Amino acid sequence: MELPLQGKTLLITGGTSRLGQAVVQKASQQGARVFFTYFHSTALAQGLEQTGAQGFAVDLADVKAIDAFAQVFREKVEFLDVLIHNAAATADALIEKMSEKEWDDVMRVNLKAPFYLTQKLLPLLLRKTPSKVFTLVSRAGLSGLAGAANYAASKGGLISMTKTLARELGRKKILVNAVNPGFMQSSITASVPQEILQENLEESPLKTFSDPGEVADFLLFLSSDRMRQVTGQVFHFESRPF
Ligand SMILES: NC(=O)c1ccc[n+]([C@@H]2O[C@H](COP(=O)([O-])OP(=O)(O)OC[C@H]3O[C@@H](n4cnc5c(N)ncnc54)[C@H](OP(=O)(O)O)[C@@H]3O)[C@@H](O)[C@H]2O)c1
């Protein structure tokens, strides 16, 4: 069996998400040493550890919790080849109803945590290069999403952060790219009204939801040594117009 990630250390946030579970399982099968974070889904995290991966409960909305995790993680591993910022929060409401807390919580998890965690783990990413950072972004970050100004703004910010870090870290041989997985059925889409989901499917040329397994395969291809020179890009799983 081919093991394209043999010898690589990978950390993904939100390992308990639909996409995160697929990444943890496949990366472990492909030979990587896999670590993941989670928040509330303790039973799911314990199940995922059967793959040999190790989970850490971290509230990514809390900078102190990120600090504490980063410290433990820096003592645990000598280097980090791949860091995937996948965890995301939503708190949908129209502008008239969105509270300051709903705005802040989403921005903290989706935008501040990826910046802050990358900063805290930079020493590990620099130890064995090229290393790679991925962000999970969304069409909402480019075209907006009614009822989710916080989520859309966080993903738009994440795209510009990805491009900026690619510029800053390129000469240090850290590659930074974003993947937009398209519409996947998960707890994020569970809160989207059925007619909006249907509209999205109809607009999509393939008329189908994205498959988290296929998105995971793509991320892991980019994580392998087969990709060594691409940085600052956003890869889209959907071909609807923006
Ligand atoms: N689903 C889609 O249609 C879609 C479309 C475009 C982009 N994306 C992006 O793709 C990525 C994966 O999406 P998904 O649908 O697979 O996600 P998901 O199933 O909804 O899972 C969300 C993940 O984020 C974690 N999380 C939430 N709040 C957290 C917090 N405060 N601290 C730490 N972890 C927290 C959750 O952990 P626990 O469950 O352990 O609490 C869970 O692992 C996300 O970045 C999302 O924005 C998704």
Side-chain angles (χ1 to χ4, degrees):
M1 187 185 166
E2 207 194 348
L3 294 173
L5 298 177
Q6 183 90 60
K8 300 227 177 279
T9 299
L10 179 150
L11 170 65
I12 181 167
T13 65
T16 45
S17 70
R18 270 307 294 287
L19 177 58
Q21 293 172 55
V23 169
V24 169
Q25 278 156 0
K26 285 173 181 273
S28 302
Q29 284 161 5
Q30 292 180 25
R33 186 178 180 206
V34 180
F35 299 92
F36 65 92
T37 70
Y38 63 98
F39 187 26
H40 289 307
S41 303
T42 309
L44 244 175
Q46 283 166 353
L48 274 178
E49 288 190 329
Q50 305 297 316
T51 61
Q54 185 179 352
F56 295 85
V58 186
D59 178 4
L60 294 170
D62 178 356
V63 163
K64 286 201 187 101
I66 298 176
D67 265 335
F69 163 67
Q71 201 176 332
V72 169
F73 195 70
R74 284 195 307 261
E75 281 163 18
K76 180 153 195 82
V77 306
E78 280 169 28
F79 57 86
L80 184 60
D81 297 284
V82 182
L83 171 58
I84 305 177
H85 297 293
N86 164 71
T90 54
D92 295 354
L94 292 169
I95 184 168
E96 294 91 336
K97 295 214 169 134
M98 187 176 290
S99 66
E100 186 182 359
K101 182 174 177 345
E102 285 169 332
W103 175 270
D104 284 348
D105 284 351
V106 169
M107 294 303 265
R108 281 201 189 103
V109 176
N110 298 7
L111 184 56
K112 187 172 181 180
F115 178 79
Y116 198 64
L117 186 60
T118 306
Q119 186 184 60
K120 294 290 154 193
L121 298 184
L122 259 186
L124 294 180
L125 288 162
L126 286 167
R127 215 158 276 156
K128 187 169 142 253
T129 55
S131 55
K132 295 166 184 173
V133 177
F134 297 100
T135 56
L136 268 297
V137 299
S138 164
R139 180 178 196 255
L142 291 169
S143 59
L145 182 62
N150 49 2
Y151 181 81
S154 72
K155 293 296 181 179
L158 203 49
I159 290 171
S160 40
M161 189 195 89
T162 302
K163 289 173 180 276
T164 301
L165 295 188
R167 287 178 186 272
E168 288 187 19
L169 299 174
R171 73 201 130 83
K172 296 182 170 156
K173 302 279 174 281
I174 301 177
L175 310 180
V176 191
N177 289 289
V179 172
N180 162 20
F183 246 129
M184 299 177 294
Q185 285 175 301
S186 74
S187 59
I188 287 184
T189 41
S191 60
V192 177
Q194 203 51 44
E195 65 273 16
I196 299 201
L197 283 182
Q198 210 44 50
E199 248 172 53
N200 272 282
L201 277 189
E202 262 143 42
E203 272 181 35
S204 126
L206 296 178
K207 314 262 178 252
T208 172
F209 285 107
S210 290
D211 168 17
E214 190 175 330
V215 179
D217 284 337
F218 183 66
L219 267 167
L220 295 180
F221 166 78
L222 296 179
S223 300
S224 76
D225 288 338
R226 284 178 264 185
M227 191 286 273
R228 298 174 74 92
Q229 291 190 313
V230 178
T231 196
Q233 302 306 306
V234 184
F235 297 97
H236 295 281
F237 260 73
E238 53 191 339
S239 44
R240 285 173 297 160
F242 289 100

